[in-house]
Amino acid sequence: MSKTASTFKAKSTIKAGNLDHRRKINFNISKYNAVVPQGKVQFDNLVAAREHAKNVKWQAIEKLDVMLEQFENNISMRGAKVIWAETAEDALREIGNICKAKNCKTLVKSKSMVTEEIHLNKFLAKHGIDSIETDLGEYIQQLDEEPPYHIVTPAMHKSKEDVAKLFAEKLNVPAGLSPQQLTLVARERLRKKYVEAEVGVTGANFLIADTGSISVTENEGNARLSSAFPKTHIVITGIEKILPSINDLSLFLPLLATFGTGQKLTVYNTIISGPRQKNETDGPEEMYVILLDNGRTNLLANPKTREALYCIRCGACLNACPVYKNIGGHSYDTTYSGPIGSVITPHLKNLKAYKHLSYASSLCGNCTEVCPVRINLHELLLENRYESVVEGDSSVSERVAWKLWKQASLHRSMMNISNGSLKNKVVNSLFKGWTNHRADLNFSQKTFNEMWKERKQ
Ligand code: SF4
């Protein structure tokens, strides 16, 4: 078993038995479940809307090269500089060069999973740059020195009491503050940083090909401040975020809001098409857009897994997943957790080291059911399992066990060779890994042939 797999097993075993964790997660996800139906009522025909969204993403991903070049040409005409980064190291090097050129000491950053993926904060700290998370959830996680727990709600596993305790410890404020007071404390500290920072970093929820724009969606206004106040704005985004037309936002913004947080529309939706223009009074002097591959073209190369690139990172599949709800976001030890994380991480990183995630699923299909762009997540988990077997990543005992199983299934005489008790003994000792965390397999005492004969008598 790989080191990543044994860490995952150990962490998830501990978390699954932590009742306090379960209580907090169930509470927070129940609030989400209560509001999502309210957001859905805005769609006359939700099935058709989701199907249309899937078709738009299909079109965008099938023509990804053309779309990205169109985006690059259009945003470059308005003065933004587009940088193509094949790996996380390439992206970090480019950001490092920009920060050096701007003599950056302080950087403000809005919520971005891609910056988590490339470990930007760690890199900046190494180069003496103070990187401040400005999204409240991310700010809480940064104070606690923890990665985000969830792709949309980074501090979902913390109660309001946990956050009050953390603020009292780290920020020297009175203990037991209310959520409103805590928000004000964060706001007061963060506001100063926007004007101090030389560089602001944001992600992009969508890249728009026909206008050459980025679309950023948020509830706190911190992404607007992070992109508008500093003189230099760096956008870092995965190449799969492309949409063909600005008109597509009329469908994708409500879909993302509803499936992400149950809102009809997120509070702030910003479209940025370049740095400050000559006739404009505000905005950054320079804008860079870093288009990151970092393994996404591995997903693109396989016509089946390509579908995973339709993801709009709404987080709905995490909230719906019985495995995620039991083991939590940190057990995965990956940037992207839950069903979508289990589908894409083996391709973004390494199939052998992360194949275990594709087995951490009951294949109930609830993730596929809730996905706004109708990605067949549970089938993609099966595809990952298939690929890992084809690549020879399964253990010898697993291969032997399945060979025996196949022979027995194909030969009725072998199935009839012994009674249920013997079969239970043999199979449960062969599939030891399976039965460590599950009940033993329990065969019928009589064979099918015996029961059939009895029935005919
Ligand atoms: S896979 Fe679907 S449900 Fe999961 S985060 Fe992506 S868009 Fe949302």
Side-chain angles (χ1 to χ4, degrees):
M1 189 188 296
S2 67
K3 195 165 172 281
T4 40
S6 53
T7 308
F8 173 74
K9 270 199 171 180
K11 284 190 171 182
S12 42
T13 304
I14 294 168
K15 218 34 140 191
N18 182 335
L19 295 183
D20 188 44
H21 168 261
R22 189 174 300 189
R23 182 183 56 76
K24 286 173 192 165
I25 287 305
N26 284 345
F27 176 73
N28 286 329
I29 292 184
S30 73
K31 289 205 291 190
Y32 167 85
N33 290 339
V35 291
V36 169
Q38 294 167 22
K40 285 183 180 171
V41 294
Q42 69 181 316
F43 296 96
D44 275 348
N45 185 338
L46 185 57
V47 175
R50 292 167 70 194
E51 212 45 69
H52 183 62
K54 182 169 190 169
N55 284 338
V56 171
K57 281 306 287 186
W58 170 77
Q59 189 195 350
I61 297 298
E62 289 300 309
K63 290 189 200 154
L64 188 59
D65 51 345
V66 179
M67 294 275 161
L68 289 171
E69 282 184 8
Q70 195 187 354
F71 167 81
E72 180 182 25
N73 289 337
N74 287 332
I75 200 164
S76 301
M77 279 196 288
R78 291 177 60 87
K81 296 179 186 90
V82 175
I83 296 166
W84 299 76
E86 201 178 329
T87 62
E89 291 72 34
D90 292 344
L92 290 171
R93 192 182 54 249
E94 294 291 344
I95 295 172
N97 289 343
I98 299 166
C99 289
K100 200 170 167 197
K102 306 295 162 200
N103 197 18
C104 176
K105 299 273 175 291
T106 307
L107 179 147
V108 281
K109 185 176 153 299
S110 73
K111 181 172 163 18
S112 147
M113 289 309 289
V114 172
T115 58
E116 293 297 328
E117 181 184 330
I118 64 170
H119 303 294
L120 179 61
N121 285 349
K122 210 167 147 196
F123 171 84
L124 293 171
K126 244 197 235 162
H127 290 79
I129 298 169
D130 194 14
S131 170
I132 296 122
E133 294 289 349
T134 59
D135 171 86
L136 183 57
E138 290 286 1
Y139 182 66
I140 292 167
Q141 290 306 93
Q142 190 176 35
L143 278 182
D144 212 6
E145 294 168 34
E146 271 192 338
Y149 178 91
H150 186 282
I151 60 176
V152 174
T153 39
M156 185 196 243
H157 59 310
K158 290 186 166 81
S159 64
K160 56 183 192 297
E161 291 78 18
D162 293 336
V163 179
K165 190 165 168 268
L166 178 73
F167 272 42
E169 276 167 22
K170 301 277 174 155
L171 301 177
N172 205 18
V173 295
L177 294 183
S178 68
Q180 288 78 4
Q181 289 169 317
L182 294 167
T183 310
L184 286 176
V185 169
R187 178 184 290 180
E188 196 204 333
R189 282 166 200 254
L190 290 173
R191 283 283 152 116
K192 289 181 212 146
K193 298 291 178 184
Y194 295 115
V195 275
E196 261 174 55
E198 293 86 6
V199 175
V201 172
T202 69
N205 292 93
F206 303 105
L207 298 169
I208 304 157
D210 68 351
T211 55
S213 313
I214 67 152
S215 166
V216 182
T217 267
E218 40 140 2
N219 276 316
E220 297 167 22
N222 61 302
R224 281 188 177 179
L225 295 170
S226 300
S227 58
F229 266 97
K231 287 191 174 160
T232 304
H233 176 201
I234 302 175
V235 181
I236 171 136
T237 173
I239 50 175
E240 79 284 9
K241 295 288 180 77
I242 198 84
L243 287 179
S245 165
I246 196 160
N247 295 329
D248 296 321
L249 290 182
S250 62
L251 172 61
F252 279 85
L253 292 179
L255 266 188
L256 178 58
T258 292
F259 285 79
T261 53
Q263 292 163 282
K264 288 196 174 127
L265 208 54
T266 314
V267 178
Y268 299 100
N269 292 289
T270 311
I271 297 169
I272 305 171
S273 306
R276 183 197 308 177
Q277 305 294 295
K278 275 201 183 96
N279 54 350
E280 290 174 349
T281 52
D282 54 17
E285 288 167 9
E286 284 188 83
M287 179 180 177
Y288 297 85
V289 183
I290 301 178
L291 299 175
L292 180 71
D293 177 353
N294 209 26
R296 285 159 176 80
T297 43
N298 299 334
L299 287 157
L300 187 70
N302 177 339
K304 285 189 182 149
T305 56
R306 187 175 294 175
E307 193 178 330
L309 296 173
Y310 303 170
C311 175
I312 59 171
R313 305 276 189 264
C314 72
C317 59
L318 281 67
N319 300 335
C321 176
V323 175
Y324 183 89
K325 283 192 265 193
N326 273 286
I327 67 171
H330 287 153
S331 301
Y332 291 80
D333 237 353
T334 55
T335 305
Y336 305 100
S337 55
I340 185 64
S342 300
V343 166
I344 63 174
T345 306
H347 301 277
L348 297 184
K349 286 175 162 279
N350 175 307
L351 184 60
K352 195 169 184 166
Y354 289 92
K355 71 174 178 109
H356 59 277
L357 297 178
S358 310
Y359 293 84
S361 165
S362 63
L363 298 178
C364 65
N366 209 20
C367 45
T368 302
E369 191 65 35
V370 299
C371 176
V373 281
R374 296 175 72 89
I375 300 173
N376 280 318
L377 288 156
H378 67 294
E379 286 184 16
L380 295 182
L381 290 172
L382 282 174
E383 173 63 20
N384 282 358
R385 294 182 191 186
Y386 171 75
E387 280 184 31
S388 78
V389 170
V390 169
E391 290 198 6
D393 289 341
S394 51
S395 65
V396 177
S397 59
E398 200 180 321
R399 287 202 291 272
V400 170
W402 283 116
K403 259 200 181 117
L404 287 175
W405 184 276
K406 185 179 169 188
Q407 287 309 314
S409 305
L410 289 173
H411 300 94
R412 170 53 47 197
S413 53
M414 280 179 82
M415 293 291 256
N416 291 348
I417 217 162
S418 67
N419 63 21
S421 309
L422 189 61
K423 282 181 197 160
N424 285 342
K425 211 168 173 190
V426 173
V427 171
N428 287 323
S429 54
L430 266 178
F431 286 89
K432 260 203 163 44
W434 172 268
T435 54
N436 276 348
H437 295 274
R438 299 172 185 88
D440 282 357
L441 292 168
N442 193 8
F443 284 83
S444 160
Q445 282 306 312
K446 290 180 185 168
T447 66
F448 175 76
N449 282 163
E450 284 166 346
M451 286 192 273
W452 187 253
K453 264 183 207 155
E454 279 175 16
R455 200 174 156 206
K456 284 178 100 182
Q457 274 165 12

